[in-house]
Amino acid sequence: MWPTHEDAVEMYAKFCRAHYGFNAHEKVKKRAKELASTGDLAGEKIWSEVAAEIEKSTTASRPLFTP
């Protein structure tokens, strides 16, 4: 079975969170901007998808504040 595009984005987002920790979202967004500035729009699109996945999973896993 081959991973789908969505599976690959999710796997790489997990890797980036493990590798970069708290700064994962900023690092990945920075890389997307670098790729966009060099004209690599396909690369920018994928890195932006990874950043969105990191943000989505980070906000979903935040504990609710309870006083």
Side-chain angles (χ1 to χ4, degrees), residues 29-41 43-44:
K29 284 300 283 183
K30 180 181 176 187
R31 180 65 180 146
K33 287 179 185 178
E34 289 171 355
L35 291 168
S37 69
T38 63
D40 184 356
L41 299 181
E44 185 269 337

Side-chain angles (χ1 to χ4, degrees), residues 1-5 7-8 11:
M1 179 174 124
W2 295 98
T4 65
H5 177 83
D7 292 338
M11 286 187 286

